[in-house]
């Protein structure tokens, strides 16, 4: 955010995407009333929450366009402030003229808005959060709904925006408050000590709270997958069919396929979806030892392959059924398997390719498929979903972010520490109270009840201007 700007300033921005379009919207939000600006722009008042079809004119009175003007007095607006929206034709030059005219009109007369300025990224949504129109998780869901790459992600973001995730957090916080109250009461009456907590069933309450938290964490992990997708790397020796498999999964010729070893020298990525889950697949250079190739470019490609493997959520270790049993080939595959373990690959799916070249059934165990014919591809898709822990995006799903998972994990850690203290003989109840307070604060960070300013800047700074 601009360090010279304040949240008391009226703000202005184009609320529709840049470029040509049928409609363009200019939005103004202000803590101060907008009647003065409205009169400077139109020479008349606007009835609240009614669409007025009016001419939009420049300072000299020349017609710029005709469109709709809507006035939303506070607090009945998206930001909770006084809001004015101008809907005009979506020409870039026209919209720039309207923005300039609003800034110009804001400087006219004592009743206008001399401090009106262009909005920072995410500032409209940030004001909605500050004014209690949204909590922080809902505010993030606004950006996630805009950025959704699949229908399932869009629907889940919409549910998060409607408060599905926030309601789950609120329910946990309420139960934590009850448990904290019991412990605080015990601290106030130390002669009761642990007998009071035993009579109040503090242990079963804590166990039920941990169980509810575990269920919410599972749903949040699914939400992160829907938002960020699954990063999958195709790995294996040269000429095992990695590029062919990428093309088959993408349904298009995205990678060059030749019988020449080392054709793929750099990483090639393609985004697609499986069952509503975004999938980001990377085809990498064939893995072999540096001494097995004299091509410096290929060596650089192999180094990038290992870097991609280390960052992947899942690795498809592709092997060639036609060369299975050849000592040199099997030894190279064994080296790759060791390398995958050393690189810290999280999930490795061993897949045998070129099943169409066999006269006999493929060996049992690892998945066998044919990238050329498409046989086995659907099974591979399902295996990828299983590896990711993905569940069908049902009515209860909501979008989530990695920071939400971190906060939920921190909450779980504090509750586990509280359980250990509750079970220990003669444990200081002050420590138990502190662990419960820390768990409560960790949950509050998700919805914005306890949030650092640096985090707010990081969250809202990623929004587009005008949102």
């Amino acid at each position: 955010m601009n360090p010279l700007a304040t949240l008391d300033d009226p703000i202005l921005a184009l609320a529709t995407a840049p470029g040509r379009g049928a409609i363009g919207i200019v939005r103004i939000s202000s803590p101060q009333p907008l009647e003065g600006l409205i009169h400077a722009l139109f020479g008349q008042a606007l009835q609240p929450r009614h669409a007025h079809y009016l001419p939009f004119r420049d300072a000299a009175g020349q017609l710029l366009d005709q469109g709709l003007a809507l006035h939303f007095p506070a607090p009945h607006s998206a930001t909770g402030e006084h809001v004015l929206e101008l809907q005009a034709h979506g020409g870039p030059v026209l919209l720039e003229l309207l923005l300039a005219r609003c800034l110009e009109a804001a400087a006219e007369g004592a009743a206008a808005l001399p401090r009106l300025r262009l909005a920072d990224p995410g500032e409209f949504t940030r004001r909605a959060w500050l004014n209690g129109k949204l909590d922080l998780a809902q505010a993030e869901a606004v950006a996630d709904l805009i950025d959704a790459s699949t229908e399932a992600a869009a629907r889940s973001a919409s549910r998060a925006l409607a408060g599905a995730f926030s309601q789950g957090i609120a329910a946990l916080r309420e139960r934590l408050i009850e448990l904290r109250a019991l412990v605080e009461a015990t601290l106030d009456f130390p002669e009761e000590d642990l007998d009071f907590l035993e009579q109040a069933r503090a242990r079963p309450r804590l166990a039920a709270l941990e169980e509810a938290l575990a269920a919410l964490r599972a749903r949040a992990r699914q939400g992160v997958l829907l938002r960020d997708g699954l990063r999958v790397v195709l790995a294996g020796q040269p000429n095992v069919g990695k590029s062919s498999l990428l093309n088959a999964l993408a349904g298009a010729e995205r990678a060059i396929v030749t019988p020449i070893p080392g054709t793929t020298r750099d990483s090639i990525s393609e985004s697609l979806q499986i069952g509503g889950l975004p999938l980001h697949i990377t085809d990498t250079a064939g893995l072999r030892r540096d001494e097995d190739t004299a091509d410096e470019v290929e060596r650089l490609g192999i180094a990038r392959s290992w870097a991609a493997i280390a960052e992947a959520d899942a690795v498809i270790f592709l092997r060639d059924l036609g060369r299975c049993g050849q000592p040199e080939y099997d030894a190279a595959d064994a080296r790759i398997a060791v390398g995958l373990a050393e690189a810290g690959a999280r999930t490795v799916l061993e897949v045998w390719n070129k099943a169409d070249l066999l006269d006999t059934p493929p060996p049992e165990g690892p998945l066998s498929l044919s990238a050329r014919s498409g046989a086995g591809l659907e099974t591979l898709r399902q295996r990828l979903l299983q590896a990711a822990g993905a569940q069908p995006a049902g009515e209860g799903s909501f979008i989530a972010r990695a920071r939400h998972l971190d906060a939920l994990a921190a909450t779980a850690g504090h509750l586990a520490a509280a359980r250990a203290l509750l079970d220990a003989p003669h444990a200081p109840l002050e420590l138990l109270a502190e662990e419960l307070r820390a768990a409560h604060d960790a949950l509050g960070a998700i919805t914005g009840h306890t949030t650092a300013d640096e985090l707010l800047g990081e969250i809202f700074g990623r929004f587009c201007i005008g949102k």
Side-chain angles (χ1 to χ4, degrees):
M1 186 173 177
N2 182 352
L4 300 179
T6 72
L7 292 172
D8 294 326
D9 293 340
I11 55 174
L12 163 76
L14 180 64
T16 43
R20 297 172 64 244
I23 301 294
I25 298 176
V26 172
R27 176 181 293 161
I28 298 170
S29 182
S30 170
Q32 299 86 40
L34 293 171
E35 280 76 10
L37 177 63
I38 290 171
H39 192 271
L41 287 171
F42 305 113
Q44 67 177 69
L46 298 180
Q47 185 177 354
R49 293 175 296 282
H50 280 68
H52 296 259
Y53 184 64
L54 296 169
F56 299 157
R57 302 183 184 276
D58 64 16
Q62 296 296 314
L63 184 66
L64 295 174
D65 192 14
Q66 295 190 100
L68 298 179
L70 298 95
H71 179 211
F72 302 92
H76 306 295
S77 70
T79 64
E81 299 180 338
H82 302 280
V83 169
L84 175 65
E85 284 194 0
L86 307 180
Q87 300 183 11
H89 292 97
V93 174
L94 169 61
L95 294 173
E96 287 295 330
L97 289 172
L98 275 181
L99 288 169
R101 174 58 188 145
C102 290
L103 290 169
E104 188 179 36
E108 297 175 2
L113 299 170
R115 290 166 55 197
L116 181 66
R117 61 172 173 81
L118 295 175
D120 289 320
E123 195 166 2
F124 286 94
T125 308
R126 184 168 188 166
R127 292 189 180 200
W129 170 67
L130 288 171
N131 292 320
K133 293 293 182 177
L134 303 168
D135 64 33
L136 195 56
Q138 289 174 300
E140 290 171 302
V142 172
D144 295 333
L145 182 58
I146 294 171
D147 295 335
S149 59
T150 69
E151 178 183 348
R155 291 184 182 276
S156 296
S158 181
R159 281 188 282 270
L161 179 56
F165 187 23
S166 302
Q167 290 164 10
I169 296 298
L172 289 176
R173 294 184 84 234
E174 285 295 324
R175 295 167 75 168
L176 255 175
I177 289 173
E178 294 175 2
L179 194 55
R180 289 182 66 189
L182 289 176
V183 175
E184 296 292 342
T186 307
L187 288 172
D188 290 338
F189 302 97
E191 66 277 3
E192 300 290 345
D193 203 20
L194 288 173
D195 289 339
F196 178 76
L197 292 179
E198 193 68 33
Q199 294 171 9
R201 302 183 71 251
R203 285 183 179 84
R205 284 172 182 252
L206 181 56
L209 185 57
E210 288 185 287
E211 184 178 348
L213 175 62
L216 189 65
R217 288 180 72 186
R219 294 174 64 194
R221 280 192 289 270
Q222 174 72 8
V224 171
L225 280 175
L226 285 171
R227 178 182 184 272
D228 297 335
L230 187 69
R231 295 170 299 175
V232 179
V233 168
L234 304 178
Q237 294 187 56
N239 265 18
V240 294
K242 298 184 299 298
S243 297
S244 296
L245 182 56
L246 174 66
N247 291 342
L249 289 170
E253 295 296 320
R254 293 288 291 116
I256 297 174
V257 177
T258 75
I260 303 172
T263 299
T264 302
R265 300 186 178 193
D266 203 353
S267 299
I268 301 172
S269 296
E270 178 72 8
S271 294
L272 49 116
Q273 60 173 298
I274 298 175
L277 176 70
L279 206 65
H280 311 294
I281 300 184
T282 301
D283 177 23
T284 60
L287 301 175
R288 52 181 167 179
R289 296 175 298 184
D290 286 348
E291 56 265 30
D292 292 335
T293 177
D295 192 324
E296 183 62 26
V297 176
E298 187 181 355
R299 289 177 181 174
L300 291 174
I302 293 171
R304 291 189 178 186
S305 298
W306 286 112
I309 287 168
E311 297 177 357
D313 297 310
V315 176
I316 296 177
F317 179 16
L318 203 60
R319 306 179 69 179
D320 186 345
L321 276 171
R323 288 184 277 173
C324 175
Q326 298 177 8
E328 187 176 346
Y329 176 81
D330 290 346
D333 263 2
R335 288 193 296 269
I336 291 174
V338 172
L340 292 175
E342 293 176 346
R346 301 174 193 175
T347 300
V348 178
L349 296 178
E350 186 176 338
V351 177
W352 289 92
N353 190 24
K354 305 185 182 180
D356 55 306
L357 301 181
L358 295 183
D359 296 327
T360 59
E364 295 184 2
L367 171 63
S368 299
L369 56 79
S370 169
R372 175 179 294 179
S373 69
L377 287 184
E378 185 55 35
T379 302
L380 175 60
R381 294 186 180 99
Q382 296 307 314
R383 293 275 182 92
L384 284 172
L385 292 179
Q386 293 171 9
Q391 302 295 326
E395 290 300 318
S397 64
F398 52 76
I399 212 78
R401 297 185 172 204
R403 82 165 190 92
H404 301 153
L405 289 185
D406 292 341
L408 291 172
T411 303
H414 291 302
L415 292 184
R419 176 168 31 83
L421 288 168
L422 197 58
D423 291 340
H426 310 299
L429 292 185
E430 293 85 353
L431 295 181
L432 174 60
E434 176 60 23
E435 291 294 348
L436 294 177
R437 183 203 62 78
H440 193 249
D441 287 348
L443 282 177
I446 294 175
T447 52
H449 290 85
T450 53
T451 308
D453 289 340
E454 294 81 0
L455 177 60
L456 296 179
E458 173 70 17
I459 289 172
F460 290 109
R462 294 180 180 272
F463 278 61
C464 55
I465 294 174
K467 232 344 178 164

